[in-house]
């Protein structure tokens, strides 16, 4: 009976942990994709001289007028600036996993992301130490 309970708890913890990681990664990747699309729209608008503010009913700001007069420089700034932010969204350098408020994995300490099998082994070991005498 205890083995079945440990198995169910372990699978529930693994599923919850993986679900949280995937949700977080999905949101970060979605933000990076939106930023990439906005970058392309802005570069095309600057290059073609389209006034985007006209579509939202606002007056054209001075910085946008500067961008349309200095197209190459403005497009380069938008391109490289947004690439910098996209890179920061996708690769933060930090990857910390906790199980019941106990650190399980740290990318900052190991310098890499765990393989799925390795992560499952770590969780198995934690649950084994949590319940050393299964029935």
């Amino acid at each position: 009976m205890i083995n079945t309970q440990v198995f169910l708890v372990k699978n529930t913890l693994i599923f919850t942990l993986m679900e949280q990681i995937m949700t977080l990664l999905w949101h970060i990747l979605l933000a990076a994709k939106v930023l990439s699309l906005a970058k392309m729209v802005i570069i095309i608008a600057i290059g073609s001289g389209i006034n985007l503010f006209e579509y939202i009913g606002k007056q054209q700001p001075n910085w946008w007028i500067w961008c349309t007069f200095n197209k190459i420089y403005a497009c380069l700034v938008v391109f490289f600036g947004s690439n910098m932010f996209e890179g920061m969204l996708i690769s933060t350098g930090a990857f910390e996993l906790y199980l019941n408020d106990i650190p399980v994995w740290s990318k900052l300490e190991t310098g890499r992301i765990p393989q799925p099998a390795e992560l499952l082994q770590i969780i198995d070991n934690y649950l084994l130490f949590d319940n050393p005498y299964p029935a």
Side-chain angles (χ1 to χ4, degrees), residues 107-125:
K107 181 182 173 205
L108 296 175
E109 290 177 9
T110 60
R112 62 186 182 86
I113 295 176
Q115 297 296 321
E118 185 178 20
L119 181 60
L120 294 176
Q121 182 63 41
I122 292 169
I123 292 171
D124 282 342
N125 290 341

Side-chain angles (χ1 to χ4, degrees), residues 33-84:
K33 294 285 184 184
V34 168
L35 182 61
S36 179
L37 180 65
K39 168 182 65 178
M40 289 299 139
V41 167
I42 291 171
I43 288 174
I44 290 170
I46 290 172
S48 63
I50 296 173
N51 181 7
L52 293 177
F53 298 94
E54 183 179 285
Y55 295 108
I56 58 174
K58 301 286 183 182
Q59 185 178 2
Q60 191 173 11
N62 289 334
W63 61 267
W64 186 260
I65 295 170
W66 179 89
C67 287
T68 57
F69 283 117
N70 301 296
K71 291 180 180 176
I72 294 175
Y73 184 70
C75 287
L76 287 173
V77 168
V78 169
F79 180 78
F80 288 114
S82 64
N83 281 348
M84 179 183 65

Side-chain angles (χ1 to χ4, degrees), residues 9-24:
V9 169
K10 179 173 42 171
N11 285 343
T12 304
L13 287 173
I14 292 169
F15 178 73
T16 304
L17 181 65
M18 293 299 181
E19 183 180 10
Q20 290 173 354
I21 291 170
M22 294 308 291
T23 302
L24 178 64

